Amino acid sequence: MVTVLSKRKPKAQKKIEPRRGCLRSCVAWFVYPLPTALFFMILMFVWSSSTTYISGRIVHVCISSRKLSNLYCLSATTQPNKNLQLPFRNFSSPEFPKNKIPIVEEKLETKGLVASVLQDDSVNRNLKGESEEVSNVIQNHSVLTNALEVIDDLKDDSSSVLKAVVNATSLVDKIVENEVASGHTNDSEQVSSFVIENHIPQNDDFGEIKKAKQVVEEQLRVHRSWTVKQNWNRNQHQCDGRGIYVYELPPKFNKDLVAQCHDMVPWVDMCKYLSNNALGEPIPELGNRWFQTHQYSLELIFHSRVLRHPCRVYDENQAKLFYVPYYGGLDILRWHFKNVSNEVKDTLAFELVNWLEMQKAWDKNLGKDHVFVLGKISWDFRRKDNSSWGTRFLELEEMQNPMKLMIERQPWELNEIGIPHPTHFHPHSDDDIRAWQRKIISSHRRNLVSFAGAARPDAQDNIRSILIDQCTSTTDEQCKFFDCKSRHCDEPQSLIGLFTESEFCLQPPGDSPTRKSVFDSLVSGCIPVLFDPFTAYYQYPWHLPEDHGNYSVFIDQEEVRKMKVNVVERLMKVPLKERDDMRRYIVYELMPKLVYGDQDAKFELFQDAFSITMNNLFGRVKSLNLE
């Protein structure tokens, strides 16, 4: 029996067990890897459709969107950290040699990269393969030597690099400071270029980010170099070498667009906003010079002022500057809510370029002395191939030479300048400005903080929901929330009333970094609290000062996002004298420069936003030394 049983067992195992094992293993082979495969597919999709940005201690991953290109998503989340002040402020003093600026900028970039690996356990080897000259430099800094080795080790592991970058920068801060202080600028440049060229993974965005940051900072310095400083009262009528010629475009490029105002936006009649030379209907509750001005009315407002400019000439041979009154923003707006092809959206832009190329003045300098004013953000004129948003007007080759003025510039385009959003206040004379100054300087600021806006639940990185929670968890005296979902933000009298009663006005980014509300708060004497330097500091070099601490408070949005700071509590700690000093600067120094006078405005003591823009445009044309 024992022998027979021993023979039957193996047979049973051969017939039954393998079949059961095969079934289970086949199912397991097919099912078990699914979660892992799905995870990696999602990970690869997100990674391939995103842009990674490293800024100081922070890694930003920005998913592509229909409105913003990857670069711009990068810019919208850039933050200057405590140790990395904005270069256009740090290096603007006369005693700092200009030829050393690129060297220090490269060091700042290198610092952020090397810092990513200072806490790695594997920093215990010697650097190999570098040139003798660079090796001599790096040997003086053992931390840098080890750090470069770790970067080499992690070239094929992007996630490790990104994770490491978040860890620390303090040690490299000291290294950089010591090198610059000791005068080793040439050595620093060699180390920086060595790291950038040989130790940055080529498949990552480090090189692109480095170039983008350097370009935008250098451009701000160039833009400010065009600023014309003069005694406005004495020189306002001196037009020698300052003639401006206004093209008489076919009506389809401007007047006919305004005529479509009734059905331009489905839920509102735009005609009431574009009336009265685009100032809109009066608002008697706010005063004599207040109007229902739409945020996209800049093109019409500017055009009406240029037509009355004292230096306007009617002979193009006498002109130094040529103004093209194309209402490109209205051209976009009229198609945005209609189901039309991209070819239809681009039609007018192509026709305008063809028309300009037939003009002698355009051909003479290839458009370098021409200026456009566009009433929407730059990205609305830079449509991507796979998108239906906006037009491709600013991507056209013919549009690279002219100067473009708009409410939000592309941060890396030298020939784009940000100028203030139109507000509701349009003074006619010095007396109008002085009367408003007296009112807002004496206004009772019953609210410490206010925030007018709405949450963005679909935008996970947006800090608005956090700010709303922090604001509503206090009393109205500490922070008053004005919910724009209730449509109250469409009522200027309510919005301006809130700002004139508040010490600080929170200004987080919205659909794009800039906000019209920043200028509404400044005009109301409310100190704006900014969370992104691209909201204002990198946008308006002609109208806002380099020292942004004079008129605003900056709080890193990453600190808010990570719940490291309570904004209301932070602002409660700002001394009363500091608030008063900032407000006086805003009211008496800044506010007159941010508003657009009406079409017949005449100022003797002040320059408004239009006057400053025109003077600096002439300064820019003069710097080109054109024929």
Side-chain angles (χ1 to χ4, degrees):
M1 286 297 294
V2 175
T3 305
V4 173
L5 287 173
S6 64
K7 289 181 179 179
R8 287 179 180 176
K9 269 190 172 182
K11 289 181 180 180
Q13 289 174 352
K14 287 180 181 179
K15 291 180 181 179
I16 300 174
E17 291 299 323
R19 290 176 184 176
R20 292 169 61 188
C22 177
L23 178 62
R24 290 179 179 177
S25 62
C26 290
V27 172
W29 179 85
F30 179 78
V31 174
Y32 290 171
L34 282 179
T36 303
L38 182 61
F39 170 78
F40 280 104
M41 287 175 64
I42 295 174
L43 182 63
M44 290 301 296
F45 172 77
V46 172
W47 184 264
S48 64
S49 63
S50 66
T51 296
T52 303
Y53 182 26
I54 301 175
S55 173
R57 300 173 172 79
I58 303 160
V59 176
H60 305 276
V61 179
C62 303
I63 307 302
S64 302
S65 69
R66 61 176 183 167
K67 284 190 68 175
L68 310 178
S69 70
N70 285 340
L71 264 181
Y72 201 77
C73 187
L74 174 158
S75 76
T77 52
T78 306
Q79 302 298 331
N81 65 33
K82 182 178 180 181
N83 298 310
L84 278 173
Q85 299 297 327
L86 298 179
F88 68 76
R89 180 179 177 185
N90 288 353
F91 304 145
S92 61
S93 58
E95 61 270 19
F96 194 95
K98 291 185 177 180
N99 62 332
K100 300 301 183 184
I101 291 175
I103 298 175
V104 178
E105 286 178 343
E106 283 200 355
K107 272 214 60 71
L108 298 179
E109 289 293 336
T110 306
K111 178 180 66 173
L113 297 174
V114 177
S116 67
V117 293
L118 288 180
Q119 295 183 348
D120 196 287
D121 294 333
S122 62
V123 288
N124 56 11
R125 293 177 293 176
N126 295 322
L127 182 66
K128 299 177 181 179
E130 69 277 11
S131 66
E132 181 178 356
E133 184 178 15
V134 176
S135 178
N136 293 334
V137 175
I138 297 181
Q139 285 175 2
N140 294 326
H141 307 290
S142 59
V143 177
L144 278 175
T145 304
N146 295 329
L148 293 174
E149 277 291 287
V150 177
I151 289 180
D152 274 339
D153 293 341
L154 299 179
K155 274 185 178 180
D156 297 326
D157 189 352
S158 298
S159 61
S160 298
V161 175
L162 297 177
K163 181 179 178 181
V165 170
V166 183
N167 291 334
T169 59
S170 58
L171 290 179
V172 178
D173 285 336
K174 297 178 180 178
I175 293 174
V176 174
E177 291 172 3
N178 290 339
E179 288 180 344
V180 175
S182 60
H184 295 157
T185 50
N186 292 330
D187 292 349
S188 302
E189 183 179 22
Q190 292 167 5
V191 174
S192 297
S193 61
F194 183 78
V195 174
I196 297 298
E197 294 173 6
N198 299 305
H199 294 271
I200 297 177
Q202 296 301 312
N203 293 331
D204 289 339
D205 291 328
F206 293 122
E208 184 179 10
I209 295 163
K210 171 182 175 290
K211 178 181 178 181
K213 288 178 64 179
Q214 288 182 343
V215 169
V216 69
E217 290 159 2
E218 177 59 31
Q219 285 178 0
L220 288 170
R221 290 188 285 271
V222 175
H223 289 164
R224 288 194 172 95
S225 71
W226 299 333
T227 302
V228 175
K229 297 180 180 179
Q230 63 176 0
N231 186 316
W232 174 240
N233 186 32
R234 186 176 61 220
N235 298 329
Q236 60 176 317
H237 300 302
Q238 293 183 2
C239 294
D240 293 341
R242 289 163 53 89
I244 179 169
Y245 182 83
V246 182
Y247 280 111
E248 186 67 32
L249 295 180
K252 63 181 178 180
F253 295 114
N254 41 48
K255 295 178 182 179
D256 289 352
L257 296 174
V258 178
Q260 302 178 37
C261 57
H262 288 292
D263 61 351
M264 192 169 287
V265 179
W267 57 86
V268 63
D269 187 349
M270 289 291 292
C271 294
K272 67 178 181 180
Y273 295 106
L274 301 182
S275 63
N276 190 22
N277 289 290
L279 300 185
E281 299 174 348
I283 308 176
E285 296 91 336
L286 288 176
N288 189 33
R289 307 310 306 168
W290 289 81
F291 303 88
Q292 289 273 5
T293 306
H294 197 273
Q295 62 177 332
Y296 296 148
S297 61
L298 179 64
E299 295 158 347
L300 288 78
I301 292 174
F302 211 92
H303 188 189
S304 67
R305 292 290 299 277
V306 174
L307 291 175
R308 294 166 174 81
H309 195 279
C311 298
R312 181 186 177 187
V313 296
Y314 296 88
D315 181 356
E316 61 183 47
N317 294 318
Q318 298 176 359
K320 293 295 183 180
L321 189 64
F322 295 82
Y323 173 67
V324 185
Y326 165 52
Y327 298 167
L330 295 187
D331 186 20
I332 289 176
L333 201 60
R334 65 170 175 157
W335 295 127
H336 180 61
F337 302 99
K338 296 179 177 64
N339 186 20
V340 298
S341 67
N342 286 341
E343 289 73 17
V344 171
K345 296 177 182 179
D346 291 335
T347 298
L348 204 58
F350 282 113
E351 291 180 358
L352 176 66
V353 170
N354 291 335
W355 187 90
L356 286 170
E357 288 181 330
M358 294 186 295
Q359 310 304 310
K360 293 181 179 179
W362 174 275
D363 186 61
K364 183 178 181 181
N365 291 305
L366 299 177
K368 293 179 181 179
D369 48 5
H370 284 57
V371 60
F372 294 76
V373 176
L374 303 172
K376 292 181 110 282
I377 68 175
S378 179
W379 302 103
D380 289 338
F381 303 93
R382 298 180 177 279
R383 190 187 66 241
K384 288 187 173 182
D385 293 337
N386 59 349
S387 172
S388 61
W389 183 281
T391 71
R392 294 185 58 249
F393 181 54
L394 294 184
E395 295 291 336
L396 301 179
E397 182 179 354
E398 296 83 355
M399 287 306 299
Q400 304 314 304
N401 285 337
M403 199 69 176
K404 284 83 64 176
L405 309 178
M406 57 195 70
I407 55 178
E408 179 177 315
R409 65 182 292 260
Q410 206 269 37
W412 298 280
E413 286 292 333
L414 180 64
N415 288 334
E416 290 188 15
I417 287 283
I419 61 177
H421 288 248
T423 65
H424 301 285
F425 181 47
H426 300 282
H428 175 75
S429 64
D430 296 332
D431 290 340
D432 293 330
I433 293 178
R434 284 177 162 175
W436 183 246
Q437 286 175 328
R438 288 192 297 268
K439 182 172 181 177
I440 56 178
I441 199 65
S442 60
S443 176
H444 175 52
R445 307 279 167 174
R446 65 185 69 189
N447 311 312
L448 175 68
V449 185
S450 67
F451 175 41
R456 301 292 171 89
D458 296 334
Q460 297 181 356
D461 288 338
N462 198 287
I463 62 173
R464 290 187 172 209
S465 295
I466 300 174
L467 294 178
I468 292 172
D469 290 341
Q470 293 182 358
C471 184
T472 55
S473 63
T474 66
T475 63
D476 281 351
E477 289 76 17
Q478 291 178 330
C479 187
K480 188 169 184 177
F481 173 54
F482 201 74
D483 192 352
C484 287
K485 286 185 177 179
S486 63
R487 309 289 295 180
H488 289 313
C489 290
D490 295 335
E491 301 173 358
Q493 56 270 35
S494 300
L495 193 65
I496 299 301
L498 174 69
F499 289 166
T500 55
E501 294 178 350
S502 304
E503 295 263 17
F504 299 99
C505 294
L506 305 185
Q507 303 294 349
D511 294 330
S512 66
T514 65
R515 295 190 79 197
K516 173 182 177 291
S517 182
V518 172
F519 295 96
D520 287 333
S521 66
L522 288 169
V523 170
S524 304
C526 186
I527 303 167
V529 182
L530 305 180
F531 303 88
D532 186 333
F534 283 82
T535 298
Y537 306 152
Y538 283 173
Q539 287 288 342
Y540 311 102
W542 290 351
H543 296 83
L544 295 178
E546 291 184 63
D547 191 352
H548 51 77
N550 284 339
Y551 68 92
S552 67
V553 173
F554 183 82
I555 299 177
D556 192 325
Q557 65 179 335
E558 200 65 24
E559 292 185 0
V560 178
R561 188 176 293 115
K562 293 181 178 180
M563 308 297 287
K564 292 183 177 180
V565 59
N566 184 296
V567 174
V568 178
E569 293 178 358
R570 171 77 65 85
L571 296 174
M572 290 174 65
K573 297 178 181 179
V574 179
L576 181 60
K577 184 181 184 305
E578 186 175 337
R579 300 180 210 167
D580 291 340
D581 290 343
M582 293 174 69
R583 179 164 298 103
R584 293 184 67 84
Y585 181 85
I586 291 171
V587 172
Y588 294 114
E589 298 292 333
L590 201 56
M591 184 272 289
K593 303 175 183 178
L594 306 179
V595 297
Y596 295 91
D598 65 23
Q599 61 273 14
D600 298 314
K602 295 180 180 179
F603 303 108
E604 298 293 333
L605 300 178
F606 300 103
Q607 289 191 78
D608 70 343
F610 171 79
S611 301
I612 291 173
T613 302
M614 290 302 302
N615 289 335
N616 292 339
L617 281 174
F618 286 123
R620 186 257 181 181
V621 171
K622 184 177 180 180
S623 70
L624 295 177
N625 295 318
L626 301 175
E627 297 180 4

